[in-house]
Amino acid sequence: MRPLGIEGAWVDTPKVFADSRGRFHEWFKNDTFQAAVGQGLGLRQANCSRSVRGTLRGIHYASVPPGQAKYVTCVSGAVLDVVVDIRTGSPTFGTWEAVRLDDATHHSVYLSEGLGHAFMALEDNSTVVYLCSEGYAPQREYGIDPLDPALAIDWPTDLAPHLSDKDAAAPTLEEAGRQGLLPSFEDCARFRTGLVSSG
């Protein structure tokens, strides 16, 4: 695992074993994960989504505490996975990083509590699975417009983005900030410190 430029985000490149029967790799190994990230991933929910080419999901996040950390991979097809720093007071607030996740490299992305997450399907039937530190709770789930011009995320230009009505109506990052909906860098750091100290 290697850290991305946004604190609290990592990409995992597993060793893939291939032979005449097919391929095998360890998708998630807690000891390796904990050694790199400094805390374990308390699994509360596992999600699976299948998307047609051009589907754009996100930017999604949950209020902190407790937030929702995610460990994301693409088991079929390919997606452009994007982590967005939406934590007020963060040195990288408003920046994003993209990682291609596909069924050839088997990369995974981990994003800690308080970070925004989105992805676009690059192929039909792209299937994404993610492990979540907390279950879905509608009262603390939020979204930001993934096409916010101020964020200027470099989505593929050859695809027309297909969004849900909810994602299409999501506020911009600036609007979410004015409404007091964004997590703070300080609160996220304090929450993560508590997780580490409690084991």
Side-chain angles (χ1 to χ4, degrees):
M1 292 188 71
R2 67 174 174 83
L4 295 174
I6 295 173
E7 187 276 329
W10 301 72
V11 62
D12 184 17
T13 304
K15 186 172 183 179
V16 179
F17 301 91
D19 59 25
S20 60
R21 301 168 298 166
R23 293 174 295 183
F24 172 85
H25 72 281
E26 292 177 339
W27 170 39
F28 177 83
K29 190 170 184 180
N30 194 61
D31 292 348
T32 304
F33 176 88
Q34 192 161 354
V37 175
Q39 67 184 65
L41 178 63
L43 178 61
R44 297 291 183 270
Q45 184 170 317
N47 298 332
C48 178
S49 69
R50 179 174 291 178
S51 303
V52 299
R53 187 173 186 264
T55 295
L56 178 51
R57 299 181 187 269
I59 302 166
H60 299 149
Y61 67 100
S63 56
V64 178
Q68 188 185 62
K70 297 176 182 176
Y71 187 83
V72 186
T73 197
C74 180
V75 295
S76 178
V79 301
L80 185 68
D81 197 79
V82 175
V83 179
V84 185
D85 193 345
I86 59 169
R87 303 166 297 184
T88 59
S90 169
T92 54
F93 175 76
T95 65
W96 55 271
E97 288 208 43
V99 178
R100 179 187 168 99
L101 304 180
D102 57 43
D103 58 9
T105 63
H106 302 290
H107 289 144
S108 296
V109 167
Y110 170 71
L111 57 150
S112 63
E113 297 84 357
L115 293 174
H117 179 248
F119 67 84
M120 177 180 268
L122 305 178
E123 300 175 8
D124 280 333
N125 296 318
S126 292
T127 304
V128 173
V129 294
Y130 36 108
L131 308 178
C132 303
S133 65
E134 292 291 334
Y136 175 73
Q139 70 277 10
R140 57 182 180 81
E141 302 286 335
Y142 299 97
I144 291 172
D145 181 359
L147 302 176
D148 181 351
L151 288 173
I153 297 173
D154 191 15
W155 299 113
T157 56
D158 62 327
L159 295 175
H162 180 59
L163 284 75
S164 70
D165 291 342
K166 182 179 178 181
D167 287 347
T172 65
L173 183 64
E174 182 181 354
E175 290 167 344
R178 282 200 309 264
Q179 295 171 27
L181 301 176
L182 299 177
S184 77
F185 186 71
E186 183 180 342
D187 286 346
C188 293
R190 187 182 301 114
F191 180 72
R192 289 183 68 205
T193 300
L195 289 178
V196 172
S197 63
S198 65

